[in-house]
Amino acid sequence: MGILTGAEILAKSLKNEGTDYLFFLMGGPMIECEGFCVKEGINLIDVRHEQAAAMMGNAWSRLTQKPSVCMAASGPGVINLCTGVANAFIDCAPMVICGGSSSVKTYGKGAFQCIDQVSIMKPMTKLSERVYKVERIPEQVHNAFEVAMSGKPGPVYLDFPGDLLWEKIDSESINWGQSGKPILLQRPLADQNNIKKLSMALNESKKPIIVSGSGVIWSKAWHEMTEVVETLGIPFFTTPQGRGVLPDDHKYSWPNMRSTAFKEADLIIIAGTRMNYISSHFSPPRFNEKAKIARIDIDAYDISSSPRYVDIRLVGDCKSVFEQILADIDGSIDTNRFNEWRDRLETEASEKRQRSGSNKPPSGDPIHPLELCDAVKTFMDRDAILCVDGQEILNYGRQWIPTFEPGHRLNSGPFGTMGVGLPFGLGAKLAKPDKQVIVVHGDGSLGLNVMELDTAVRHKIPILIVVSLNGGWTADPDGVKAGRNLGYTEYHKIAEALGCYSEYIEDPEEILPALQRAREKVNSGNVALINVKTDYKARAQTVRYASYATNT
């Protein structure tokens, strides 16, 4: 290969690791490397704000089960990535972030965009380090991919000073030994003694449930979890982003009975999810204080630091642990003991469904957000990827729109990051180009990354965006929230100006026809946006997640 610059070595290293897409915004000192990435055959997706690059990478990783790669210029460019990187860290999404930085030889001398980016990235990454030796670039890049995927996945940051990228070196001096080698995918087993404890607990239980999260998706354990659920006949519930591991309409899924199941379950098996605020820390009064807790997680620290005592600690990969459970029970558990529990949940769930109005969203003028959600539910493909972002529409969507495939539900996540919807949709479509991708957006959250419509058009990424236009950040029936009002933004005109197909809807009867017209445009390769004016007074009722709330 002769003489290579650091920028060339980085591009080749990324290609060797199987990089398909580079999500980035151009700028120095990375600009030459970005050009070399093109020569290496990497697809470049340039965005309008760096945070969108990280958010697109997050969704792409979630759906491909591979680390995504993001790149940004020094100083503000790297810092602009931070919101998306922090969100990926909390979401446990594997990413490799390459940031340019000021030269080592001028560090501390007031150089252009000189700031300690490694320290800035440390709290939101699994590893944050600077590359000092050009010959070690392939080694450190490979290590970044390994760390991103090891154990609990997450982002890794590598800092590339300008003088390192411009440095020239003979290719014979470069350490290519690890570059492109297969990543070690660990599937550790849980302690067999604890597996037997769980089997004993199942034999003693009358009202068990499984609560699963994204860890099941990252472990690709949906088949094994399905077998556990169906073999034992255990009711299951998922976290918002863990939906689809089993379809929402599975015979052992009773989402409208969550409160009852949580309060009465005597054995709670927590699989691949944190015991955080989303689940009320699995603590009373939402959960039965006398219930036995079993937890499956690949991270021993997460289990040891659980906010509620865990009786049965299964430190291991979800896929491996489910296989261990199946092998250990092997017909030894009489699942008829759970018949009464399942029958109770089914009977009460059926009664709820038969109550007046329970299967029909509110209708009228202005359009209720649930009526919009119902139209999307009716319209969408069964295997569609749904990205939901906002406040009221996020909660209404969670209540009303189902998911049937693993990983096909994306939202603001446990970090509550607004603005992820559109970038998530673009990353998802790049990951699964043959799937229908629908983004259901609140009007406030769309404004944070609305210029990514331009990214979608320029890169020909055909998705459908449906906007719930309630004129502000949250519902405000009493008109008392300072800073809430945004007015009714004409997003359909913004979309049209950027080259999208768009419509504005006020009549509820026109929602479905508009969605069908939009589908035709998307199927022909266009980006489509439907801007639907909704009731500003409609406020979703959901679990209170904090001592403060925007919807109180």
Side-chain angles (χ1 to χ4, degrees):
M1 288 185 282
I3 303 298
L4 298 174
T5 64
E8 288 177 280
I9 298 167
L10 175 54
K12 289 181 183 295
S13 298
L14 292 173
K15 182 63 177 179
N16 287 349
E17 299 302 332
T19 302
D20 299 306
Y21 286 95
L22 176 66
F23 303 101
F24 78 110
L25 200 158
M26 65 173 293
M30 306 304 292
I31 193 164
E32 289 186 356
C33 179
E34 290 150 4
F36 288 124
C37 285
V38 174
K39 293 180 180 179
E40 291 294 330
I42 297 171
N43 298 295
L44 269 61
I45 305 295
D46 59 304
V47 298
R48 299 296 296 267
H49 191 288
E50 289 89 350
Q51 71 173 0
M55 293 169 181
M56 290 172 70
N58 183 334
W60 188 90
S61 290
R62 193 174 187 85
L63 286 155
T64 62
Q65 304 275 300
K66 294 164 55 178
S68 57
V69 180
C70 303
M71 191 173 285
S74 56
V78 168
I79 293 171
N80 282 346
L81 285 169
C82 287
T83 299
V85 174
N87 189 68
F89 182 68
I90 302 300
D91 273 0
C92 299
M95 300 170 61
V96 173
I97 305 121
C98 300
S101 61
S102 56
S103 298
V104 173
K105 64 182 178 183
T106 59
Y107 191 80
K109 295 183 177 181
F112 178 63
Q113 296 182 336
C114 182
I115 195 167
D116 188 354
Q117 296 166 186
V118 174
S119 294
I120 290 170
M121 284 288 183
K122 274 185 179 177
M124 63 191 80
T125 56
K126 294 180 71 177
L127 174 68
S128 178
E129 63 181 13
R130 172 171 280 185
V131 181
Y132 286 102
K133 295 290 186 180
V134 68
E135 62 268 24
R136 290 192 62 197
I137 291 175
E139 171 196 340
Q140 289 187 255
V141 168
H142 177 78
N143 184 56
F145 278 80
E146 288 272 13
V147 173
M149 284 298 290
S150 66
K152 186 167 286 186
V156 172
Y157 176 72
L158 293 179
D159 197 67
F160 290 91
D163 46 3
L164 176 96
L165 293 169
W166 302 321
E167 185 179 338
K168 295 180 179 180
I169 187 173
D170 191 308
S171 59
E172 298 297 322
S173 303
I174 301 168
N175 180 8
W176 296 101
Q178 297 184 51
S179 187
K181 290 290 194 296
I183 293 174
L184 174 64
L185 296 178
Q186 305 166 20
R187 294 208 179 276
L189 299 171
D191 185 323
Q192 190 62 31
N193 291 326
N194 289 336
I195 294 290
K196 291 191 177 299
K197 286 181 182 179
L198 178 58
S199 295
M200 292 173 59
L202 284 164
N203 264 317
E204 296 168 357
S205 172
K206 293 182 179 179
K207 297 180 178 180
I209 62 172
I210 294 176
V211 181
S212 68
S214 293
V216 177
I217 295 172
W218 291 118
S219 180
K220 300 182 183 179
W222 43 84
H223 295 305
E224 291 74 16
M225 179 170 159
T226 299
E227 192 173 352
V228 168
V229 167
E230 294 180 349
T231 299
L232 296 174
I234 298 181
F236 73 92
F237 302 87
T238 67
T239 61
Q241 288 210 117
R243 291 172 72 169
V245 287
L246 278 76
D248 280 350
D249 59 358
H250 189 278
K251 63 180 179 179
Y252 295 145
S253 172
W254 292 283
N256 65 346
M257 292 298 295
R258 294 175 79 91
S259 294
T260 298
F262 290 175
K263 287 179 180 178
E264 297 189 19
D266 58 11
L267 173 61
I268 302 168
I269 302 170
I270 304 165
T273 188
R274 295 184 179 99
M275 296 173 69
N276 61 11
Y277 74 93
I278 289 177
S279 57
S280 302
H281 310 288
F282 287 87
S283 297
R286 193 178 182 197
F287 287 83
N288 182 2
E289 66 178 340
K290 296 180 180 179
K292 185 168 287 187
I293 304 293
R295 187 175 178 193
I296 306 168
D297 201 284
I298 202 168
D299 190 330
Y301 175 80
D302 253 23
I303 291 182
S304 65
S305 60
S306 298
R308 177 177 177 175
Y309 184 75
V310 176
D311 302 279
I312 304 170
R313 306 179 180 201
L314 301 163
V315 180
D317 172 74
C318 284
K319 187 182 185 78
S320 299
V321 175
F322 281 138
E323 289 173 345
Q324 286 180 277
I325 293 169
L326 289 164
D328 194 68
I329 57 175
D330 192 25
S332 64
I333 295 175
D334 178 11
T335 58
N336 290 326
R337 64 186 295 108
F338 308 142
N339 287 351
E340 185 178 342
W341 176 227
R342 292 194 303 268
D343 290 346
R344 158 99 184 282
L345 294 175
E346 175 57 35
T347 299
E348 293 190 18
S350 180
E351 289 173 356
K352 284 186 176 183
R353 288 192 293 268
Q354 292 170 15
R355 291 174 189 168
S356 177
S358 63
N359 286 319
K360 186 177 180 181
S363 60
D365 183 17
I367 296 168
H368 193 282
L370 276 178
E371 194 166 11
L372 174 58
C373 290
D374 193 61
V376 172
K377 174 184 174 181
T378 301
F379 161 81
M380 66 190 289
D381 296 342
R382 184 173 175 86
D383 63 352
I385 299 169
L386 184 69
C387 308
V388 190
D389 180 18
Q391 169 67 27
E392 309 303 342
I393 196 64
L394 175 68
N395 291 317
Y396 281 125
R398 183 184 299 129
Q399 297 168 19
W400 204 262
I401 307 175
T403 295
F404 305 107
E405 295 288 332
H408 282 210
R409 187 62 163 253
L410 304 174
N411 62 33
S412 304
F415 203 44
T417 306
M418 291 284 187
V420 298
L422 179 53
F424 272 11
L426 299 180
K429 188 65 176 180
L430 291 170
K432 296 284 186 78
D434 59 328
K435 301 299 181 186
Q436 181 189 48
V437 175
I438 302 173
V439 179
V440 179
H441 237 307
D443 52 340
S445 62
L446 177 57
L448 293 170
N449 280 313
V450 69
M451 285 305 296
E452 301 313 322
L453 289 171
D454 168 69
T455 303
V457 171
R458 283 186 294 107
H459 291 284
K460 298 180 173 57
I461 309 172
I463 65 170
L464 170 60
I465 303 99
V466 182
V467 184
S468 177
L469 181 69
N470 71 350
W473 286 106
T474 70
D476 191 15
D478 301 317
V480 296
K481 296 179 182 176
R484 180 264 172 199
N485 292 333
L486 298 172
Y488 292 95
T489 306
E490 295 180 316
Y491 282 119
H492 50 290
K493 292 186 177 180
I494 296 173
E496 182 182 5
L498 292 171
C500 305
Y501 172 80
S502 65
E503 292 191 36
Y504 174 68
I505 302 296
E506 289 187 353
D507 181 355
E509 298 298 321
E510 279 300 310
I511 299 174
L512 265 175
L515 291 175
Q516 296 293 356
R517 291 189 291 271
R519 184 202 293 268
E520 293 177 6
K521 295 295 182 179
V522 170
N523 288 346
S524 63
N526 296 300
V527 182
L529 182 144
I530 307 299
N531 198 19
V532 182
K533 188 175 181 180
T534 54
D535 187 358
Y536 74 92
K537 299 185 297 296
R539 184 172 64 196
Q541 300 300 315
T542 186
V543 174
R544 190 182 183 95
Y545 287 144
S547 58
Y548 58 88
T550 57
N551 63 349
T552 55

